[in-house]
Amino acid sequence: MRKSVVVLVSVLLLMGVVGLASIPKDTLVIGANTGIFITLDPAVCYEVLPSVVVMNAYSGLFKLESIGGVIKAVPELAESYEISKDGKTWTFHLRHGLTFANGDPLTADAVVYSYKRVLKLHKSPVWLYESLGLTADNMDETIKKIDDYTVQIVTSKPFAPNVVMSILAESWGGIVDPKVAEAHAVGNDMGSKWLTDHSAGAGPYVVKLWKRNSMVVLEANEKYWKGAPKIKRVIIKDMPETTDQLLSLKRGDIDVAWNLTPQQINSLKGNKSVQIITTPSQSDEYVGMNAGWGPFKNPKVRLAVKYAIDYKSIIKDIVGGYAINNQEFIPAGYFGFVTDNPAPFHQNIAKAKELMKEAGYPNGFEVELVTNTTERRRNEAIAIQADLAKIGIKAKITIMQASQMYSKYRQQGIQMIVAGWGVDFPDADALAKPFADYRVHQLAWRLMWYDDYAADLAEKAGFEKNAAKREQMYADLMEYWFLNGPFAMLYQPLQYWGVRSEVKGFDEAAKGYGLVFDLMKVYK
Amino acid sequence: MKLSMYIIKRLLLMALVMLGVSVIVFFIAHVIPADPVGALLGGNAPPQLVDQMKHQLGLDKPLWQQFEIYMVGLAHGDFGISLKSNRPVIQDIGEYFPATLELAIFSIIFSIILGVILGIVSAVHRNSWLDHFSRIFSILGVSMPVFWTGLILLLIFYYLLGWLPGTGQLSLFTIPPDHITGMVIFDSILTGNWQAAWDGLRHIILPSIVLGYAATASIARITRASMLDVLRQDFIRTAKAKGLSKRIVIYRHALRNSLIPVITVIGLTFGSLLEGAVLTETIFGWPGLGRYIVNALLVLDYPAIMGGTFFIALAYSLANLAVDLTYAALDPRMRT
């Protein structure tokens, strides 16, 4: 027995001799749950983490940059642009001498092909193009090549310039090499099957390998027009379990842990070999009340709920402080974000009870509170249930799979919900419409808040060219929405990562995460 | 009954079971009041896009029509196209299954060696501290959550001691072997890529221990019971009376005779290892079929859920069949 133990220990020790090689200086290893990866085709991809890969493998006419804390669309492949007087015709002038990673020239043909490709394939991101009035039916008239370096698009309405530029700056605006895509086309798929796990772009990186549920490997594009990136190889290693990410980060087997919990990230405080990077997330966490259901029809009841919630303790206890106390639908730092008082609500039970009494519900009522299965949402629902109980509202919590919850939500079938909303493109319009304009059939519609004043204001602000006027419109809308809207905004999450100390520039690269992540800024 | 007739009868029964599995899985997956397209497109997608996608994928057809399409496809060996990966489900299964199979093979080897040794020691030293230890070890194996065992082993052997690598099948900078069977260690050996074989072997130790622990427990228990049974029989007493050494009595006479029920348990356990690897695969970042099915479940990827479940059920049935046939070949009384 003793002998066998000795043998076992010796074998293990021997095996330990051949340890992991340390990570080379020009390589970045990211540990992340890649279960969400569906495709790396820019015309199809819509998930946040895979979009990081897509936006670094492709370049678009514009690019999102965080400038002074504000996410803005800046020219990338387009050297300049003009907008016609009626605000609908956009003319883009491409840089000369651009090439794809494989050396093929990048000209106006590729831009026109890529935009039409999004419309023809008609996958998740298409609605953003369609919201500008570009459709598969009208694309031959609305998307045109003028010459090799000039492209023209015609939008259906005179949208605010930032709306159009932001939409084109996202991962779905990435320009695809038509030669490569067509060479791999199967039927009418325009190379989509092949582009699921390959790339044909002009971004700083090239997709070298995607072994599903194992790893994604990116290699530097030495022909990138701004110069080759400093990190030559990026490996995203699939690590579905967050504890694995934490242990591997501490041992130095990965450079970045992508999906740590607040408790895990807090456990890294004081560890000299690891830095904690945080950035405001491009999303909102909210409680929604169905304005077409029972007591919530009364704005006073909705207001009472907003005064019943203890926002600060939710931020402190449930998300470990990794959130901003921002109750506006516009994230901090955006155009239209009102800086004076972004969190007008705080728990005031006496006021909430008074409002309930005025509304005719002094003894409260029963309501079903729905949320999905993540631990954080469950905890939030429990905290809200306890807060609501203080003003007599008995909330029965129902936990559902996200797929089930959203299905019911889209059919306006939910009384009360705890959910989140990710920003689709960095402009106030991308938030004002879902949260205040029921006509776009998104959140306000799902919660049956058919308020024409709010809807008109949200719509008009989307077209306003005068920045000062537009800003005032969003401020007015916000004030009205606070008092009348069916949402109690809980917080704006902070995104956080555990990163090895030798990795530099990660904080700059991560600014605006959710919409943009620029690997070019990372080095060791 | 002749062996050939018995085989035909078992095969027909298996076909019936597989039909039952496909019908049940189809209806369970479809009665959930959820929307796979909405899940795939995310919470932000506008309703008209969800409707268009449903139409494209044929999910707006009546349920019986979808069932007919599914069953006709199945009869032709076509599991359909995964909504998530957009590839034929059979291709996905072909990519993920070898990893699960390799893990199951190493787990069963581990559990056989440890389980049989523990069982013998327990039976021979009945009611001694060794017996008690072995039984407690077995009970822990059955009752401890895989999740917990996995994380504790990783913490000790990977993080604290650094003896074994962390998650995945190979280290990041190890050159993987050429694809032959899809099983990393076997392919490395077949292609003479010894560095990858060694690295793969080091990576599979912890997950196969975690996955095999519960199986070890049942093998140890059945070995112990069977050994005790045999040790009480007359021929053992005779062997002892002849003056044979204890070692020869135990290993040559008792063990051989007690192994038949153990083999049955091993066969069934192997089948269950194929379907029970979900958590182990998640903890150890193992790119196997278990995780594929779980990821499919999260977005309600119908074809992947149905194809994956059907395939696992088939593998389990085949393992079951193999055990029954072995048994029937050994003992004609079983063919009734």
Side-chain angles (χ1 to χ4, degrees):
Chain A
M1 191 75 173
R2 198 172 298 158
K3 207 192 261 176
S4 54
V5 171
V6 172
V7 171
L8 179 71
V9 171
S10 319
V11 168
L12 287 174
L13 277 173
L14 181 67
M15 291 186 136
V17 172
V18 191
L20 278 178
S22 61
I23 303 170
K25 214 175 166 210
D26 63 354
T27 301
L28 183 77
V29 181
I30 295 168
N33 184 353
T34 68
I36 189 65
F37 275 63
I38 294 174
T39 175
L40 302 176
D41 182 340
V44 189
C45 180
Y46 204 69
E47 297 68 37
V48 176
L49 179 55
S51 293
V52 171
V53 174
V54 175
M55 66 183 63
N56 282 285
Y58 294 86
S59 285
L61 294 189
F62 297 93
K63 180 181 184 219
L64 296 177
E65 278 273 3
S66 171
I67 300 166
V70 182
I71 314 290
K72 281 184 183 157
V74 296
E76 166 88 346
L77 300 182
E79 198 164 32
S80 59
Y81 61 93
E82 292 128 31
I83 312 167
S84 65
K85 271 192 181 153
D86 68 358
K88 293 201 254 183
T89 304
W90 287 70
T91 308
F92 306 109
H93 303 283
L94 289 182
R95 291 174 200 280
H96 287 238
L98 292 170
T99 63
F100 288 101
N102 64 357
D104 287 349
L106 191 162
T107 59
D109 288 315
V111 178
V112 171
Y113 175 83
S114 302
Y115 288 178
K116 288 185 173 177
R117 191 171 174 273
V118 175
L119 296 168
K120 280 190 199 166
L121 289 176
H122 210 271
K123 298 291 184 188
S124 305
V126 73
W127 71 274
L128 288 150
Y129 279 66
E130 289 179 344
S131 71
L132 297 177
L134 309 173
T135 67
D137 294 333
N138 71 17
M139 63 185 183
D140 289 333
E141 293 84 52
T142 54
I143 304 170
K144 280 186 203 157
K145 167 189 168 180
I146 304 296
D147 60 47
D148 275 355
Y149 300 101
T150 316
V151 176
Q152 200 172 69
I153 68 165
V154 183
T155 59
S156 57
K157 289 174 186 165
F159 295 99
N162 195 44
V163 174
V164 178
M165 283 158 64
S166 299
I167 289 177
L168 296 181
E170 287 268 26
S171 56
W172 42 81
I175 306 304
V176 177
D177 185 345
K179 244 168 83 182
V180 178
E182 286 306 314
H184 292 93
V186 181
N188 295 325
D189 85 335
M190 304 178 89
S192 192
K193 203 181 196 87
W194 188 80
L195 287 171
T196 297
D197 46 17
H198 295 82
S199 65
Y205 286 91
V206 175
V207 176
K208 203 72 196 164
L209 168 82
W210 171 21
K211 190 171 181 301
R212 286 164 177 78
N213 286 353
S214 183
M215 67 173 88
V216 181
V217 181
L218 302 179
E219 267 188 14
N221 168 14
E222 298 295 331
K223 297 188 181 82
Y224 182 52
W225 73 278
K226 278 186 194 162
K230 293 182 193 107
I231 295 285
K232 298 299 175 197
R233 188 156 55 156
V234 179
I235 301 171
I236 304 175
K237 187 183 180 203
D238 181 47
M239 299 182 111
E241 175 46 44
T242 59
T243 311
D244 291 342
Q245 292 185 23
L246 181 71
L247 297 181
S248 301
L249 179 74
K250 282 169 142 181
R251 274 189 65 87
D253 290 337
I254 57 173
D255 292 309
V256 180
W258 205 276
N259 312 99
L260 300 181
T261 64
Q263 292 76 17
Q264 287 170 333
I265 200 89
N266 281 334
S267 78
L268 291 171
K269 281 181 182 164
N271 185 330
K272 283 189 181 143
S273 48
V274 176
Q275 46 182 326
I276 297 170
I277 305 286
T278 59
T279 191
S281 175
Q282 309 298 306
S283 61
D284 294 316
E285 187 79 359
Y286 66 87
V287 175
M289 294 162 268
N290 191 328
W293 175 83
F296 288 146
K297 284 180 186 162
N298 189 329
K300 281 190 178 163
V301 173
R302 306 200 291 260
L303 204 55
V305 168
K306 293 176 201 180
Y307 277 112
I309 296 171
D310 187 352
Y311 303 90
K312 283 187 180 157
S313 88
I314 288 176
I315 290 174
K316 184 170 154 272
D317 301 330
I318 297 175
V319 287
Y322 287 97
I324 301 168
N325 187 14
N326 171 19
Q327 293 166 3
E328 298 179 22
F329 53 72
I330 299 180
Y334 272 52
F335 174 86
F337 172 72
V338 184
T339 48
D340 292 349
N341 187 14
F345 296 103
H346 49 87
Q347 193 178 45
N348 185 341
I349 298 296
K351 191 166 182 174
K353 276 184 174 167
E354 190 56 39
L355 283 162
M356 289 287 281
K357 212 164 131 188
E358 282 173 29
Y361 295 97
N363 300 318
F365 53 87
E366 283 184 16
V367 64
E368 186 189 30
L369 175 62
V370 175
T371 197
N372 63 329
T373 48
T374 60
E375 194 188 338
R376 182 182 51 144
R377 290 262 159 83
R378 246 196 331 248
N379 290 338
E380 284 166 6
I382 292 167
I384 288 157
Q385 183 187 43
D387 288 340
L388 293 180
K390 290 176 189 158
I391 59 165
I393 300 176
K394 292 176 207 70
K396 183 181 151 270
I397 298 174
T398 304
I399 307 281
M400 294 180 180
Q401 272 295 343
S403 53
Q404 196 181 351
M405 178 176 89
Y406 284 117
S407 170
K408 209 173 169 190
Y409 197 16
R410 279 198 185 91
Q411 293 160 24
Q412 303 180 316
I414 283 179
Q415 295 171 4
M416 196 176 198
I417 189 169
V418 183
W421 183 261
V423 182
D424 289 304
F425 55 92
D427 187 275
D429 188 59
L431 293 135
K433 293 257 176 73
F435 279 99
D437 181 357
Y438 70 93
R439 293 171 204 139
V440 297
H441 282 239
Q442 287 181 324
L443 295 180
W445 182 83
R446 290 180 200 173
L447 293 169
M448 300 172 83
W449 189 49
Y450 304 132
D451 190 306
D452 283 312
Y453 173 76
D456 285 344
L457 201 48
E459 200 178 317
K460 274 184 205 151
F463 296 124
E464 182 55 57
K465 296 277 183 306
N466 182 309
K469 265 193 196 166
R470 193 173 181 229
E471 199 163 20
Q472 188 55 48
M473 285 168 130
Y474 285 124
D476 293 346
L477 177 61
M478 197 69 75
E479 210 176 314
Y480 181 80
W481 181 86
F482 276 141
L483 294 174
N484 298 283
F487 302 91
M489 196 64 83
L490 295 177
Y491 55 82
Q492 180 187 347
L494 282 174
Q495 186 69 39
Y496 48 82
W497 296 265
V499 181
R500 296 289 299 180
S501 304
E502 54 271 28
V503 178
K504 312 283 181 227
F506 194 91
D507 48 347
E508 285 300 315
K511 273 182 188 156
Y513 178 64
L515 291 169
V516 58
F517 192 99
D518 191 353
L519 282 168
M520 276 291 278
K521 291 177 178 156
V522 182
Y523 62 97
K524 281 186 180 174
Chain B
M1 198 188 290
K2 275 187 179 172
L3 190 60
S4 56
M5 277 304 288
Y6 178 75
I7 293 175
I8 291 169
K9 192 180 139 197
R10 289 291 285 108
L11 282 174
L12 282 174
L13 266 174
M14 199 175 99
L16 212 64
V17 168
M18 294 318 297
L19 182 70
V21 167
S22 27
V23 172
I24 292 169
V25 173
F26 179 89
F27 283 103
I28 287 181
H30 284 77
V31 293
I32 301 170
D35 167 12
V37 173
L40 271 177
L41 294 177
N44 288 20
Q48 61 269 28
L49 185 64
V50 176
D51 291 343
Q52 280 167 2
M53 280 285 279
K54 268 188 199 165
H55 182 69
Q56 274 179 19
L57 296 166
L59 293 170
D60 56 348
K61 290 191 173 115
L63 195 59
W64 63 267
Q65 219 170 332
Q66 290 184 50
F67 182 64
E68 193 187 320
I69 294 168
Y70 170 64
M71 289 311 283
V72 169
L74 209 57
H76 292 88
D78 178 10
F79 290 109
I81 306 282
S82 156
L83 303 181
K84 187 178 167 203
S85 74
N86 204 19
R87 302 192 302 176
V89 171
I90 197 78
Q91 187 189 341
D92 282 347
I93 291 175
E95 188 173 320
Y96 294 116
F97 185 65
T100 299
L101 184 64
E102 190 171 41
L103 183 56
I105 290 172
F106 276 86
S107 302
I108 200 77
I109 293 173
F110 165 78
S111 13
I112 291 171
I113 295 173
L114 195 62
V116 171
I117 291 175
L118 280 176
I120 295 170
V121 169
S122 243
V124 174
H125 303 279
R126 194 180 170 202
N127 290 333
S128 70
W129 68 269
L130 272 172
D131 185 23
H132 295 316
F133 168 78
S134 150
R135 283 158 75 185
I136 291 170
F137 184 81
S138 302
I139 291 168
L140 282 178
V142 181
S143 49
M144 272 200 311
V146 165
F147 213 77
W148 189 82
T149 330
L151 289 178
I152 290 294
L153 287 185
L154 267 178
L155 184 72
I156 297 171
F157 291 101
Y158 164 63
Y159 181 67
L160 294 175
L161 299 173
W163 289 358
L164 290 170
T167 59
Q169 284 181 295
L170 284 175
S171 301
L172 284 176
F173 305 108
T174 300
I175 297 163
D178 296 332
H179 188 285
I180 300 171
T181 63
M183 292 187 273
V184 169
I185 298 172
F186 290 104
D187 286 355
S188 307
I189 293 169
L190 288 175
T191 53
N193 184 346
W194 301 112
Q195 195 206 350
W198 177 243
D199 192 38
L201 205 60
R202 296 176 73 234
H203 276 82
I204 210 166
I205 291 175
L206 290 182
S208 55
I209 287 177
V210 170
L211 184 61
Y213 188 16
T216 306
S218 42
I219 292 174
R221 282 196 308 194
I222 202 82
T223 309
R224 179 181 184 273
S226 177
M227 274 289 278
L228 283 176
D229 211 31
V230 174
L231 283 173
R232 280 192 214 106
Q233 290 182 19
D234 290 345
F235 74 95
I236 296 291
R237 204 175 305 143
T238 313
K240 279 183 187 164
K242 275 185 355 195
L244 293 178
S245 74
K246 196 177 173 187
R247 188 175 287 251
I248 289 179
V249 173
I250 291 168
Y251 292 104
R252 200 167 287 171
H253 295 273
L255 183 61
R256 276 193 188 176
N257 284 290
S258 22
L259 277 184
I260 292 176
V262 177
I263 288 167
T264 316
V265 170
I266 290 169
L268 294 177
T269 309
F270 187 66
S272 67
L273 286 180
L274 290 175
E275 44 119 12
V278 176
L279 284 177
T280 315
E281 285 178 4
T282 305
I283 300 164
F284 290 95
W286 205 260
L289 195 55
R291 277 198 66 212
Y292 173 69
I293 297 174
V294 169
N295 285 337
L297 275 169
L298 289 177
V299 291
L300 271 186
D301 183 350
Y302 293 148
I305 295 169
M306 293 185 293
T309 318
F310 184 90
F311 190 80
I312 293 278
L314 186 68
Y316 192 81
S317 298
L318 284 174
N320 215 334
L321 180 69
V323 170
D324 283 359
L325 292 182
T326 318
Y327 225 75
L330 292 175
D331 187 350
R333 284 172 300 178
M334 298 301 293
R335 294 175 208 166
T336 48

PDB file of all heavy atoms in Angstrom, chain A residues 337-349:
ATOM      1  N   PHE A 337     -27.155  62.289 -21.968  1.00  0.00           N
ATOM      2  CA  PHE A 337     -27.157  61.888 -20.562  1.00  0.00           C
ATOM      3  C   PHE A 337     -27.226  63.157 -19.712  1.00  0.00           C
ATOM      4  O   PHE A 337     -26.439  64.088 -19.905  1.00  0.00           O
ATOM      5  CB  PHE A 337     -25.874  61.115 -20.259  1.00  0.00           C
ATOM      6  CG  PHE A 337     -25.659  60.811 -18.805  1.00  0.00           C
ATOM      7  CD1 PHE A 337     -26.432  59.853 -18.165  1.00  0.00           C
ATOM      8  CD2 PHE A 337     -24.691  61.482 -18.066  1.00  0.00           C
ATOM      9  CE1 PHE A 337     -26.235  59.572 -16.832  1.00  0.00           C
ATOM     10  CE2 PHE A 337     -24.479  61.212 -16.732  1.00  0.00           C
ATOM     11  CZ  PHE A 337     -25.259  60.251 -16.112  1.00  0.00           C
ATOM     12  N   VAL A 338     -28.201  63.213 -18.823  1.00  0.00           N
ATOM     13  CA  VAL A 338     -28.379  64.413 -18.002  1.00  0.00           C
ATOM     14  C   VAL A 338     -27.508  64.265 -16.762  1.00  0.00           C
ATOM     15  O   VAL A 338     -27.700  63.344 -15.964  1.00  0.00           O
ATOM     16  CB  VAL A 338     -29.861  64.596 -17.609  1.00  0.00           C
ATOM     17  CG1 VAL A 338     -30.052  65.892 -16.848  1.00  0.00           C
ATOM     18  CG2 VAL A 338     -30.738  64.579 -18.850  1.00  0.00           C
ATOM     19  N   THR A 339     -26.543  65.151 -16.645  1.00  0.00           N
ATOM     20  CA  THR A 339     -25.559  64.974 -15.568  1.00  0.00           C
ATOM     21  C   THR A 339     -26.027  65.500 -14.222  1.00  0.00           C
ATOM     22  O   THR A 339     -25.519  65.099 -13.190  1.00  0.00           O
ATOM     23  CB  THR A 339     -24.233  65.682 -15.929  1.00  0.00           C
ATOM     24  OG1 THR A 339     -24.557  66.986 -16.371  1.00  0.00           O
ATOM     25  CG2 THR A 339     -23.484  64.943 -17.024  1.00  0.00           C
ATOM     26  N   ASP A 340     -27.021  66.419 -14.233  1.00  0.00           N
ATOM     27  CA  ASP A 340     -27.411  67.072 -12.972  1.00  0.00           C
ATOM     28  C   ASP A 340     -27.852  66.081 -11.899  1.00  0.00           C
ATOM     29  O   ASP A 340     -27.367  66.098 -10.787  1.00  0.00           O
ATOM     30  CB  ASP A 340     -28.560  68.079 -13.220  1.00  0.00           C
ATOM     31  CG  ASP A 340     -28.065  69.242 -14.052  1.00  0.00           C
ATOM     32  OD1 ASP A 340     -26.836  69.340 -14.214  1.00  0.00           O
ATOM     33  OD2 ASP A 340     -28.903  70.018 -14.538  1.00  0.00           O
ATOM     34  N   ASN A 341     -28.781  65.229 -12.242  1.00  0.00           N
ATOM     35  CA  ASN A 341     -29.322  64.323 -11.229  1.00  0.00           C
ATOM     36  C   ASN A 341     -29.691  62.983 -11.873  1.00  0.00           C
ATOM     37  O   ASN A 341     -30.856  62.707 -12.135  1.00  0.00           O
ATOM     38  CB  ASN A 341     -30.550  64.964 -10.568  1.00  0.00           C
ATOM     39  CG  ASN A 341     -31.052  64.144  -9.397  1.00  0.00           C
ATOM     40  OD1 ASN A 341     -30.354  63.253  -8.905  1.00  0.00           O
ATOM     41  ND2 ASN A 341     -32.266  64.418  -8.959  1.00  0.00           N
ATOM     42  N   PRO A 342     -28.675  62.153 -12.134  1.00  0.00           N
ATOM     43  CA  PRO A 342     -28.969  60.916 -12.858  1.00  0.00           C
ATOM     44  C   PRO A 342     -29.713  59.870 -12.024  1.00  0.00           C
ATOM     45  O   PRO A 342     -30.172  58.878 -12.568  1.00  0.00           O
ATOM     46  CB  PRO A 342     -27.577  60.403 -13.252  1.00  0.00           C
ATOM     47  CG  PRO A 342     -26.646  61.004 -12.277  1.00  0.00           C
ATOM     48  CD  PRO A 342     -27.241  62.310 -11.862  1.00  0.00           C
ATOM     49  N   ALA A 343     -29.829  60.096 -10.699  1.00  0.00           N
ATOM     50  CA  ALA A 343     -30.528  59.105  -9.873  1.00  0.00           C
ATOM     51  C   ALA A 343     -31.519  59.793  -8.953  1.00  0.00           C
ATOM     52  O   ALA A 343     -31.281  59.959  -7.755  1.00  0.00           O
ATOM     53  CB  ALA A 343     -29.507  58.294  -9.071  1.00  0.00           C
ATOM     54  N   PRO A 344     -32.665  60.256  -9.491  1.00  0.00           N
ATOM     55  CA  PRO A 344     -33.610  61.018  -8.662  1.00  0.00           C
ATOM     56  C   PRO A 344     -34.339  60.159  -7.624  1.00  0.00           C
ATOM     57  O   PRO A 344     -34.870  60.703  -6.661  1.00  0.00           O
ATOM     58  CB  PRO A 344     -34.601  61.582  -9.678  1.00  0.00           C
ATOM     59  CG  PRO A 344     -34.504  60.680 -10.858  1.00  0.00           C
ATOM     60  CD  PRO A 344     -33.116  60.157 -10.880  1.00  0.00           C
ATOM     61  N   PHE A 345     -34.358  58.846  -7.842  1.00  0.00           N
ATOM     62  CA  PHE A 345     -35.112  58.014  -6.898  1.00  0.00           C
ATOM     63  C   PHE A 345     -34.195  57.366  -5.868  1.00  0.00           C
ATOM     64  O   PHE A 345     -33.101  56.898  -6.202  1.00  0.00           O
ATOM     65  CB  PHE A 345     -35.878  56.914  -7.649  1.00  0.00           C
ATOM     66  CG  PHE A 345     -36.916  57.459  -8.576  1.00  0.00           C
ATOM     67  CD1 PHE A 345     -36.694  57.510  -9.955  1.00  0.00           C
ATOM     68  CD2 PHE A 345     -38.110  57.955  -8.075  1.00  0.00           C
ATOM     69  CE1 PHE A 345     -37.643  58.038 -10.810  1.00  0.00           C
ATOM     70  CE2 PHE A 345     -39.067  58.488  -8.927  1.00  0.00           C
ATOM     71  CZ  PHE A 345     -38.833  58.527 -10.297  1.00  0.00           C
ATOM     72  N   HIS A 346     -34.671  57.367  -4.641  1.00  0.00           N
ATOM     73  CA  HIS A 346     -34.008  56.616  -3.579  1.00  0.00           C
ATOM     74  C   HIS A 346     -35.131  56.101  -2.695  1.00  0.00           C
ATOM     75  O   HIS A 346     -36.254  56.621  -2.733  1.00  0.00           O
ATOM     76  CB  HIS A 346     -33.031  57.510  -2.805  1.00  0.00           C
ATOM     77  CG  HIS A 346     -33.640  58.805  -2.383  1.00  0.00           C
ATOM     78  ND1 HIS A 346     -34.328  58.957  -1.218  1.00  0.00           N
ATOM     79  CD2 HIS A 346     -33.720  59.999  -3.035  1.00  0.00           C
ATOM     80  CE1 HIS A 346     -34.795  60.189  -1.147  1.00  0.00           C
ATOM     81  NE2 HIS A 346     -34.446  60.841  -2.248  1.00  0.00           N
ATOM     82  N   GLN A 347     -34.825  55.086  -1.885  1.00  0.00           N
ATOM     83  CA  GLN A 347     -35.925  54.470  -1.142  1.00  0.00           C
ATOM     84  C   GLN A 347     -36.566  55.467  -0.170  1.00  0.00           C
ATOM     85  O   GLN A 347     -35.877  56.082   0.646  1.00  0.00           O
ATOM     86  CB  GLN A 347     -35.413  53.258  -0.366  1.00  0.00           C
ATOM     87  CG  GLN A 347     -36.562  52.402   0.151  1.00  0.00           C
ATOM     88  CD  GLN A 347     -36.085  51.178   0.886  1.00  0.00           C
ATOM     89  OE1 GLN A 347     -35.182  51.257   1.713  1.00  0.00           O
ATOM     90  NE2 GLN A 347     -36.671  50.032   0.590  1.00  0.00           N
ATOM     91  N   ASN A 348     -37.884  55.634  -0.308  1.00  0.00           N
ATOM     92  CA  ASN A 348     -38.646  56.510   0.582  1.00  0.00           C
ATOM     93  C   ASN A 348     -40.007  55.842   0.795  1.00  0.00           C
ATOM     94  O   ASN A 348     -40.965  56.075   0.048  1.00  0.00           O
ATOM     95  CB  ASN A 348     -38.787  57.898  -0.063  1.00  0.00           C
ATOM     96  CG  ASN A 348     -39.471  58.889   0.860  1.00  0.00           C
ATOM     97  OD1 ASN A 348     -40.145  58.497   1.823  1.00  0.00           O
ATOM     98  ND2 ASN A 348     -39.291  60.174   0.585  1.00  0.00           N
ATOM     99  N   ILE A 349     -40.058  54.971   1.793  1.00  0.00           N
ATOM    100  CA  ILE A 349     -41.242  54.129   1.999  1.00  0.00           C
ATOM    101  C   ILE A 349     -42.483  54.979   2.322  1.00  0.00           C
ATOM    102  O   ILE A 349     -43.576  54.702   1.817  1.00  0.00           O
ATOM    103  CB  ILE A 349     -40.976  53.092   3.128  1.00  0.00           C
ATOM    104  CG1 ILE A 349     -39.815  52.163   2.720  1.00  0.00           C
ATOM    105  CG2 ILE A 349     -42.226  52.270   3.455  1.00  0.00           C
ATOM    106  CD1 ILE A 349     -40.074  51.301   1.503  1.00  0.00           C
TER     107      ILE A 349
END
